[in-house]
Amino acid sequence: QLSAAGQWAQAISTMQQAQKLGVGLKLTPKSQAVITANLANDYNGAKQYPQAIATYKQALALYFPDPTFKANILTNMGAALVATGKTTEAVQDFNQAAQLDPSGASHAYYNEGAILYNSGKMDAAAAAFQKALTADPKMAEAWYEKGMALVGKGKVNPKTGATTYPA
């Protein structure tokens, strides 16, 4: 509830205490990973991105058997990586998340496309949005963004103002 209210400092403090208690109580690796991932989410919400990334990595080291859980952590860590300018690592995380959890692949590939688009890499962005559409052909926002990436590849003739697009 603290996270939902944007009370990040209190949320972080609470999750840090839960993490310490979890170690002392010898909780299962899955429970420890959930607490650690929630702490990372709180760091992410507080825009403490380096700490969020390090904490997501701790959560990944604690618990691997659930591919959906791991994919969720990778997606969240990808968002934190983007915020720190580490787009190559973020794209890798989104790709890995899509492979681990095909049911969430469209969103992972969409996030990848958005990063590439915002980095000015229109060909790669269009390809990522196409992967999102392959995973979910009804994802309207991916259709739109793919179109915007393709339009973004256009070249304007400075003399005539005419725009040409690659085939």
Side-chain angles (χ1 to χ4, degrees):
Q1 291 178 342
L2 293 170
S3 299
Q7 297 175 351
W8 300 114
Q10 288 177 295
I12 289 167
S13 176
T14 300
M15 291 312 298
Q16 287 172 331
Q17 290 172 9
Q19 192 179 39
K20 288 177 187 172
L21 285 172
V23 171
L25 295 173
K26 298 184 182 181
L27 294 177
T28 66
K30 180 178 182 178
S31 294
Q32 290 177 8
V34 168
I35 291 168
T36 303
N38 285 329
L39 174 58
N41 290 339
D42 290 339
Y43 283 128
N44 208 2
K47 299 182 180 181
Q48 296 178 26
Y49 302 118
Q51 189 63 37
I53 293 164
T55 308
Y56 284 127
K57 288 179 181 180
Q58 290 173 3
L60 288 171
L62 288 168
Y63 185 68
F64 280 100
D66 182 346
T68 302
F69 180 74
K70 185 175 180 183
N72 187 39
I73 292 172
L74 288 166
T75 298
N76 292 339
M77 186 165 62
L81 288 163
V82 169
T84 61
K86 297 178 181 176
T87 56
T88 302
E89 290 176 50
V91 167
Q92 291 170 351
D93 282 355
F94 290 134
N95 271 307
Q96 189 177 358
Q99 293 167 8
L100 286 168
D101 182 18
S103 69
S106 61
H107 294 287
Y109 289 134
Y110 179 85
N111 289 339
E112 175 186 341
I115 290 166
L116 295 166
Y117 181 91
N118 291 333
S119 299
K121 299 174 183 174
M122 298 304 165
D123 287 326
F129 290 128
Q130 182 56 52
K131 289 190 289 186
L133 291 167
T134 299
D136 180 2
K138 295 180 182 180
M139 187 179 207
E141 58 270 29
W143 282 106
Y144 173 79
E145 294 298 344
K146 179 183 175 187
M148 292 303 294
L150 294 173
V151 167
K153 291 172 47 175
K155 305 281 186 224
V156 177
N157 182 322
K159 293 180 182 177
T160 65
T163 305
T164 56
Y165 300 95

